[in-house]
Amino acid sequence: MTISGMRRTAPPVRSRWVRHLLATGVAMALLATAACGGSAGEQEPGAAPVTDQPVQLAVAWWGGPARAEFTQKVLDLYTQKHPNVTFTTQWQGYAGYYDKINTSAAGRNAPDLIQIDNRVLREYANKELIADLTPWQGSTLKVDKIDPKLLGTGKLNDKLYAMPLASNTQALAVDRTVVEPLGLLPPETGWASWDEFSTWAAKVTQGTGGKVSGVRDESANISFFEYWLRQNGKELYDGQKPGFTTEDVTAWLQLWADMRQSGGASSAEVAQPANAGDISKNTVTTKQTAASFSYDNQLTELNKATDHDLVLVPIPGAASGAYARPSQFFTAYARGENVGTAVDVINFFVNDPEAGAILGTERGLPPNDDVSAALVPTFTDELKYVAAYDDRVTGQAGDTPPVPAQGDNQMGQLLIAAAENAGFGRQTPQEAAAEFVSQATAELERASS
C-alpha cells in the first residue's frame, strides 16, 4: 500500500494540532437486571488504585485486527509497569458486540473495562452498568490536557461516565487506484452537492464497465443518515423523540433508490454484508465499490486490507453535517471488584505518552494535547494525512450533537431493516420509512419508561 498521492495533496496540519504543540429489546431488560442492587465494586469510589495485590481485569472492545494488536500492546506495557496487574481480553466486530456485553452484565460478570460509543452512553449510565468516574477525576484520572468539549461528550448530568479514547470525523474512503485512471478523482474538498456526487458515482460505474460501483448503498448507515439530517437543519433526536419525520426518511431512502437506479450505488445484495458495520467487509477493500462511508481514523485499518491507494474525501454537500466526535470511550464496569485499578488503566490509555505512541490514530486522534504534540513529529505520512483531513473538516463542522437518546443502540438495527426492505423491493421507500419512524418512536418511548 502506498500513499504517494497523499503526500502531494495533504495540507499542513493546523488548528487542533497547532494548539497541541502550543499546549505541549433484550438489552434493556438485561441491563435493568444488572442495575438492581449492589455497590460499585469492592474499591471505594475515588480510592487510590490497588496495585500491590494480584489483580486481573477483563477488557472488551470491538474493532479489527490492527486495533486488537495495538490495544494488546498497551495492556502488555501496563503490565510491565504494574506486574501484579494482568488482563484477559475479548474483541470482535461491531455486530453483536453489545449483545455480548448485555448478556454478561445480566449475569453480573461484565468486563472491567468496556469500550463503548456514544450511542449507548446514556442507556448504560442510566442503568448503572458503568461507573461514575467523577470521584477519580483529578487524582487517578487526569483530564487537564483534554479538550473540555471532547471530555464533555462522556458526561451526563455533570457526571463523567466515559473517557474518550480518541476523536474522529466522518469521511468517504475513495479508491484512488480505480477512479484516477478514469479522470474522476474528486478534489480534496469533495462534492459541492449530492446531485454532483450522484453523477460522479454513476460515471465511475460506467467507466469500470459495471465491475466496480461508484459507491456502496449506504441507506442503512445510521451515521450517514445523521450527517444528512444535520445538513438539512435537523438532528437524529429531539430529546427522547426522533428528530426526523416520515418525509425525511422517505427522502433519504429515495435518494439511494435513485442512485441504485442510475447505477451509481451498489445493489442491496452487495451492500448487505457490510450493513452491520464490520470494517472487514467494507466494499472499498473488497473492491466492489470505489467509495464507502468511513471515519477518518479507519484509514489505517482499510489500508491494511487492500493493495489499492485510498484517499479520504468529505461527505457531499454542506460541511455542517460533520462534527468532531469521540470515536470510542473506555468505561469501567460499575460492579467490578477493582474499579479504581480499571480507572488507572483508562488513564494510562489516554494520558501515557508510550501508550499514545502505540495506539497512534487507529481509534482516532489522541485526546491528550501533550501526547498529540509529542506524536505529531513522529507520525508516518499516512497518519499525518489523517490528522490533516480531520483538521480541515472539523474546522468547518457543525456543533457536536447532544448525547444520543436512550435506546439509540436499536436505531441502527431498525434503519438497517427499513433500508433493506426498500433496497430489496419488499417495500417502497415511503412504506419502509413509515414503518421505521413508527418503530423508532415506540422504541424510544419504551427505552425511557
Side-chain angles (χ1 to χ4, degrees), residues 64-145:
R67 180 171 301 169
E69 176 187 350
F70 300 154
T71 303
Q72 187 63 59
K73 285 182 177 180
V74 173
L75 294 173
D76 291 343
L77 180 62
Y78 186 91
T79 298
Q80 289 176 23
K81 297 188 177 187
H82 307 277
N84 59 301
V85 181
T86 57
F87 301 94
T88 60
T89 62
Q90 59 185 63
W91 68 276
Q92 63 179 73
Y94 191 79
Y97 173 80
Y98 288 115
D99 292 336
K100 184 175 291 186
I101 296 298
N102 297 337
T103 299
S104 62
R108 301 191 178 189
N109 191 34
D112 298 280
L113 286 91
I114 309 170
Q115 178 181 289
I116 68 170
D117 56 18
N118 63 349
R119 302 216 173 275
V120 299
L121 174 57
R122 185 180 298 274
E123 179 179 345
Y124 278 18
N126 286 345
K127 296 296 181 180
E128 299 179 3
L129 172 60
I130 54 179
D132 174 12
L133 306 181
T134 310
W136 285 275
Q137 187 172 321
S139 53
T140 302
L141 190 60
K142 307 297 183 184
V143 300
D144 56 308
K145 297 298 181 180

Side-chain angles (χ1 to χ4, degrees), residues 295-378:
Y295 289 104
D296 53 15
N297 64 291
Q298 292 177 325
L299 184 66
T300 301
E301 189 82 4
L302 295 176
N303 280 342
K304 289 189 174 185
T306 183
D307 57 354
H308 281 195
D309 191 6
L310 308 182
V311 294
L312 297 173
V313 183
I315 306 297
S320 58
Y323 61 93
R325 60 187 292 278
S327 56
Q328 297 96 30
F329 298 105
F330 253 164
T331 59
Y333 177 42
R335 291 183 173 275
E337 295 183 355
N338 298 283
V339 177
T341 306
V343 174
D344 193 59
V345 176
I346 294 173
N347 182 73
F348 187 75
F349 267 80
V350 172
N351 293 313
D352 186 85
E354 291 181 79
I358 292 170
L359 295 170
T361 64
E362 193 282 327
R363 278 185 171 88
L365 303 179
N368 180 298
D369 288 349
D370 286 350
V371 171
S372 296
L375 287 182
V376 170
T378 69

Side-chain angles (χ1 to χ4, degrees), residues 12-30:
V13 182
R14 300 187 181 93
S15 298
R16 179 169 182 253
W17 296 96
V18 172
R19 291 197 301 271
H20 291 170
L21 289 168
L22 293 174
T24 323
V26 60
M28 295 291 291
L30 292 172

